[in-house]
Amino acid sequence: DAKTTQPTSMDCAEGRAANLPCNHSTISGNEYVYWYRQIHSQGPQYIIHGLKNNETNEMASLIITEDRKSSTLILPHATLRDTAVYYCIPRGGGSQGNLIFGKGTKLSVKP
Amino acid sequence: NAGVTQTPKFQVLKTGQSMTLQCAQDMNHEYMSWYRQDPGMGLRLIHYSVGAGITDQGEVPNGYNVSRSTTEDFPLRLLSAAPSQTSVYFCASSQGTTQYFGPGTRLLVL
């Protein structure tokens, strides 16, 4: 499994875009990049995933570099409720297999 | 759909006691798993199941047993609780690539 590097913490002003980076330079060709978040004391919540094309859904956008060694999760208009720990997780394509969680990035959205 | 449910929400045990953490899902997912989360850490996989009657060990299985007699339920058993098992326990299920997590059980072992 690929190893990831994420900032320990980040701050963002409410209403502004939050850009969360993740380095996954050892990702293999069949591994997708998944993003989950964990709001304090709750179970992790799926956000988005992608292989090599940029992806967008109702929650966020995912930008993956052409060499696939890094990606950025974008929350376009962060709210206070987006304060959470965000995990970037490479995972085999089509796999129902287990998620390997690192320590993630603690995003604090401030008024 | 209720999604993934876990009971109890909180539990205090004495060292050596046994208990079962319950997990149920109503989405007819084949895959279910148990994770534990210690303070300031990411989740670590304890056991998982790819379907009824099939279970396997994860990263930290020692001290825990599981069984999967139905698709809906995946209980986690602590046979003899130890203080090192104080943690928050999350159950998850998936069908396809997205995992859905329960709200967690907070366990304190004294």
Side-chain angles (χ1 to χ4, degrees):
Chain A
D1 297 307
K3 186 175 179 180
T4 60
T5 303
Q6 297 180 254
T8 301
S9 64
M10 296 181 64
D11 291 341
C12 178
E14 188 177 20
R16 304 297 294 268
N19 297 280
L20 292 91
C22 178
N23 181 292
H24 35 77
S25 59
T26 60
I27 195 169
S28 62
N30 69 342
E31 284 186 310
Y32 286 66
V33 180
Y34 281 77
W35 283 83
Y36 281 75
R37 73 179 181 183
Q38 186 175 23
I39 297 170
H40 181 62
S41 299
Q42 298 180 21
Q45 176 189 23
Y46 166 80
I47 302 173
I48 197 167
H49 73 283
L51 183 62
K52 54 184 178 180
N53 297 322
N54 299 338
E55 302 287 345
T56 296
N57 63 19
E58 65 278 4
M59 291 183 68
S61 294
L62 175 61
I63 308 297
I64 302 173
T65 58
E66 190 169 347
D67 63 8
R68 300 207 332 117
K69 292 184 177 181
S70 65
S71 60
T72 300
L73 179 74
I74 301 171
L75 308 178
H77 305 287
T79 70
L80 299 179
R81 289 175 294 180
D82 292 322
T83 292
V85 178
Y86 288 78
Y87 297 98
C88 163
I89 305 173
R91 184 166 173 234
S95 170
Q96 295 189 63
N98 311 305
L99 297 169
I100 299 176
F101 287 83
K103 294 188 177 181
T105 296
K106 174 65 189 296
L107 175 68
S108 298
V109 181
K110 304 192 174 183
Chain B
N1 287 349
V4 180
T5 58
Q6 293 183 238
T7 56
K9 291 184 179 179
F10 304 97
Q11 184 70 48
V12 179
L13 291 178
K14 294 181 179 179
T15 296
Q17 287 185 316
S18 63
M19 80 161 295
T20 299
L21 281 64
Q22 301 292 344
C23 175
Q25 52 93 7
D26 62 358
M27 297 173 282
N28 202 33
H29 289 169
E30 292 292 330
Y31 181 91
M32 297 185 73
S33 54
W34 277 100
Y35 293 84
R36 62 176 285 176
Q37 185 174 33
D38 299 324
M41 305 291 291
L43 281 70
R44 292 183 295 168
L45 182 69
I46 305 172
H47 284 285
Y48 64 97
S49 169
V50 299
I54 306 169
T55 63
D56 207 344
Q57 297 181 349
E59 179 186 357
V60 288
N62 292 342
Y64 308 95
N65 282 347
V66 292
S67 60
R68 184 91 179 274
S69 56
T70 67
T71 299
E72 293 78 18
D73 301 299
F74 191 42
L76 179 72
R77 298 183 185 86
L78 284 71
L79 298 179
S80 179
S84 60
Q85 294 178 303
T86 292
S87 191
V88 181
Y89 292 84
F90 291 101
C91 179
S93 74
S94 69
Q95 187 84 6
T97 57
T98 302
Q99 289 203 16
Y100 299 87
F101 286 82
T105 293
R106 293 183 176 276
L107 177 66
L108 173 62
V109 183
L110 301 175

